[in-house]
Coordinates of all heavy atoms in Angstrom, one line a residue:
S122 N 157.8 128.3 94.4 CA 156.6 128.2 95.3 C 155.3 127.8 94.4 O 154.5 127.0 94.9 CB 156.3 129.5 96.0 OG 157.3 129.8 96.9
A123 N 155.2 128.4 93.3 CA 154.1 128.1 92.4 C 154.1 126.6 91.9 O 153.1 125.9 91.9 CB 154.0 129.0 91.2
A124 N 155.3 126.2 91.6 CA 155.5 124.8 91.2 C 155.1 123.8 92.3 O 154.5 122.8 92.0 CB 156.9 124.5 90.7
L125 N 155.6 124.1 93.5 CA 155.2 123.2 94.6 C 153.7 123.2 94.9 O 153.1 122.2 95.1 CB 155.9 123.7 95.9 CG 157.4 123.4 95.9 CD1 158.1 124.2 97.1 CD2 157.7 122.0 96.0
Y126 N 153.1 124.4 94.8 CA 151.6 124.5 95.0 C 150.9 123.7 94.0 O 150.0 122.9 94.3 CB 151.2 125.9 95.0 CG 149.7 126.1 95.3 CD1 149.2 125.9 96.5 CD2 148.9 126.5 94.2 CE1 147.8 126.1 96.7 CE2 147.5 126.7 94.4 CZ 147.0 126.5 95.7 OH 145.7 126.7 95.9
I127 N 151.2 123.9 92.7 CA 150.5 123.2 91.6 C 150.8 121.7 91.7 O 149.9 120.9 91.5 CB 151.0 123.8 90.3 CG1 150.5 125.2 90.1 CG2 150.5 122.9 89.1 CD1 151.0 126.0 89.0
S128 N 152.0 121.3 92.0 CA 152.3 119.8 92.0 C 151.5 119.2 93.2 O 151.1 118.0 93.1 CB 153.8 119.6 92.2 OG 154.3 120.1 93.4
G129 N 151.3 119.9 94.3 CA 150.5 119.4 95.4 C 149.1 119.2 95.0 O 148.4 118.2 95.4
I130 N 148.5 120.2 94.3 CA 147.1 120.0 93.8 C 147.0 118.9 92.8 O 146.0 118.1 92.9 CB 146.7 121.4 93.2 CG1 146.5 122.4 94.3 CG2 145.3 121.2 92.4 CD1 146.1 123.8 93.8
I131 N 148.0 118.8 91.9 CA 147.9 117.7 90.9 C 148.0 116.3 91.6 O 147.3 115.4 91.2 CB 149.0 117.9 89.8 CG1 148.7 119.1 89.0 CG2 149.2 116.6 89.0 CD1 149.9 119.5 88.0
R132 N 148.9 116.2 92.5 CA 149.1 114.9 93.2 C 147.9 114.5 94.1 O 147.6 113.3 94.1 CB 150.4 115.0 94.0 CG 150.8 113.8 94.7 CD 152.3 113.7 94.6 NE 152.7 112.5 95.4 CZ 153.3 111.5 94.8 NH1 153.6 111.5 93.5 NH2 153.6 110.4 95.5
T133 N 147.3 115.5 94.8 CA 146.3 115.1 95.8 C 144.9 115.5 95.3 O 143.9 115.0 95.9 CB 146.5 115.7 97.2 OG1 146.5 117.2 97.0 CG2 147.9 115.3 97.7
G134 N 144.8 116.4 94.4 CA 143.5 116.8 93.9 C 142.9 117.9 94.8 O 141.7 118.3 94.6
S135 N 143.6 118.4 95.7 CA 143.1 119.4 96.7 C 144.3 120.3 97.1 O 145.5 119.8 97.0 CB 142.5 118.7 97.9 OG 142.3 119.7 98.9
N136 N 144.0 121.5 97.6 CA 145.1 122.3 98.1 C 145.4 122.0 99.6 O 146.2 122.7 100.2 CB 144.9 123.8 97.8 CG 143.7 124.3 98.6 OD1 143.0 123.6 99.2 ND2 143.6 125.6 98.5
K137 N 144.7 121.1 100.1 CA 144.9 120.7 101.6 C 145.9 119.6 101.7 O 145.6 118.5 101.9 CB 143.6 120.3 102.2 CG 142.5 121.4 102.2 CD 141.2 120.9 102.7 CE 140.2 122.1 102.6 NZ 138.9 121.7 103.0
N138 N 147.2 120.0 101.5 CA 148.3 119.1 101.6 C 149.5 119.8 102.1 O 149.6 121.0 102.3 CB 148.5 118.4 100.2 CG 148.9 119.4 99.1 OD1 149.8 120.2 99.3 ND2 148.0 119.5 98.1
L139 N 150.5 119.0 102.4 CA 151.8 119.5 102.9 C 152.5 120.4 101.9 O 153.2 121.4 102.4 CB 152.7 118.3 103.4 CG 153.9 118.7 104.1 CD1 153.6 119.4 105.4 CD2 154.7 117.4 104.5
L140 N 152.4 120.1 100.7 CA 153.1 121.0 99.7 C 152.6 122.4 99.6 O 153.3 123.3 99.3 CB 153.1 120.3 98.3 CG 154.0 119.1 98.1 CD1 153.9 118.5 96.7 CD2 155.5 119.5 98.3
T141 N 151.3 122.5 99.9 CA 150.7 123.9 100.0 C 151.4 124.7 101.1 O 151.7 125.9 100.9 CB 149.2 123.8 100.2 OG1 148.6 123.1 99.1 CG2 148.6 125.2 100.3
I142 N 151.6 124.1 102.2 CA 152.2 124.8 103.3 C 153.7 125.1 103.0 O 154.1 126.2 103.2 CB 152.2 123.9 104.6 CG1 150.8 123.7 105.1 CG2 153.0 124.5 105.7 CD1 150.6 122.7 106.2
V143 N 154.4 124.2 102.4 CA 155.7 124.5 101.9 C 155.8 125.6 100.9 O 156.6 126.5 100.9 CB 156.4 123.2 101.4 CG1 157.8 123.5 100.8 CG2 156.5 122.1 102.5
A144 N 154.8 125.6 100.0 CA 154.7 126.7 99.0 C 154.5 128.0 99.6 O 155.1 129.0 99.2 CB 153.7 126.3 97.9
V145 N 153.6 128.1 100.6 CA 153.3 129.3 101.2 C 154.5 129.8 102.0 O 154.8 131.0 102.0 CB 152.0 129.2 102.2 CG1 151.9 130.4 103.1 CG2 150.8 129.0 101.4
L146 N 155.2 128.9 102.7 CA 156.4 129.3 103.4 C 157.5 129.8 102.4 O 158.3 130.6 102.8 CB 156.9 128.2 104.3 CG 156.0 127.9 105.5 CD1 156.5 126.6 106.3 CD2 155.9 129.1 106.4
G147 N 157.5 129.2 101.2 CA 158.4 129.6 100.2 C 158.2 131.0 99.7 O 159.1 131.6 99.1
C148 N 157.0 131.5 99.9 CA 156.7 132.8 99.5 C 157.4 133.9 100.4 O 157.6 135.0 99.9 CB 155.2 133.1 99.5 SG 154.3 132.3 98.1
L149 N 157.8 133.5 101.6 CA 158.5 134.5 102.5 C 159.8 135.0 101.9 O 160.0 136.2 101.8 CB 158.7 133.8 103.9 CG 157.4 133.6 104.6 CD1 157.7 132.8 105.9 CD2 156.7 134.9 104.9
P150 N 160.7 134.1 101.5 CA 161.9 134.6 100.9 C 161.7 135.2 99.5 O 162.4 136.2 99.1 CB 162.8 133.4 100.7 CG 162.0 132.2 100.9 CD 160.8 132.6 101.7
A151 N 160.6 134.8 98.8 CA 160.3 135.4 97.5 C 159.8 136.8 97.7 O 160.2 137.7 96.9 CB 159.2 134.5 96.8
C152 N 159.0 137.0 98.7 CA 158.5 138.4 99.0 C 159.7 139.3 99.5 O 159.8 140.5 99.1 CB 157.4 138.4 100.1 SG 155.9 137.7 99.4
K153 N 160.6 138.8 100.3 CA 161.8 139.5 100.7 C 162.6 139.9 99.5 O 163.1 141.0 99.4 CB 162.6 138.7 101.7 CG 163.8 139.5 102.2 CD 164.6 138.7 103.2 CE 165.8 139.6 103.6 NZ 167.0 138.9 103.6
S154 N 162.8 139.0 98.6 CA 163.5 139.3 97.3 C 162.8 140.3 96.5 O 163.4 141.2 95.9 CB 163.7 138.0 96.6 OG 164.5 138.2 95.4
A155 N 161.5 140.3 96.5 CA 160.7 141.3 95.7 C 160.9 142.7 96.3 O 161.0 143.7 95.6 CB 159.2 140.9 95.7
V156 N 160.9 142.8 97.6 CA 161.2 144.1 98.3 C 162.6 144.6 97.9 O 162.7 145.8 97.6 CB 161.0 143.9 99.8 CG1 161.5 145.2 100.5 CG2 159.5 143.7 100.2
N157 N 163.6 143.7 97.9 CA 164.9 144.1 97.5 C 164.9 144.6 96.1 O 165.6 145.5 95.7 CB 165.9 142.9 97.7 CG 166.3 142.7 99.1 OD1 166.2 143.6 99.9 ND2 166.8 141.5 99.4
F158 N 164.2 143.9 95.2 CA 164.1 144.3 93.8 C 163.5 145.7 93.7 O 164.1 146.5 92.9 CB 163.3 143.3 93.0 CG 163.0 143.7 91.6 CD1 164.1 143.9 90.7 CD2 161.8 144.1 91.2 CE1 163.8 144.3 89.4 CE2 161.5 144.5 89.9 CZ 162.6 144.6 89.0
I159 N 162.5 146.0 94.4 CA 161.9 147.3 94.3 C 162.8 148.4 94.9 O 163.0 149.4 94.3 CB 160.5 147.3 95.1 CG1 159.5 146.4 94.5 CG2 160.0 148.7 95.3 CD1 158.3 146.1 95.3
L160 N 163.6 148.0 95.9 CA 164.6 149.0 96.4 C 165.7 149.3 95.4 O 166.0 150.4 95.2 CB 165.2 148.4 97.7 CG 166.2 149.2 98.4 CD1 165.6 150.4 99.1 CD2 166.9 148.4 99.5
F161 N 166.2 148.2 94.8 CA 167.2 148.4 93.7 C 166.6 149.1 92.5 O 167.4 149.8 91.8 CB 167.9 147.1 93.4 CG 168.9 146.7 94.4 CD1 168.7 145.6 95.2 CD2 170.1 147.4 94.6 CE1 169.6 145.2 96.1 CE2 171.0 147.0 95.5 CZ 170.8 145.9 96.3
L162 N 165.4 148.9 92.2 CA 164.8 149.5 91.0 C 164.7 151.0 91.1 O 164.9 151.7 90.2 CB 163.4 148.9 90.8 CG 162.7 149.1 89.5 CD1 163.5 148.5 88.4 CD2 161.3 148.5 89.5

């Protein structure tokens, strides 16, 4: 998600692009995985 967000900013010079939306949506499974990690921890 971070790589997609950064590459969108580098490519367009702004965070107002499609890759920002994809990066934010990519945070959903990342957050779910973080909750699972805390549970197993």
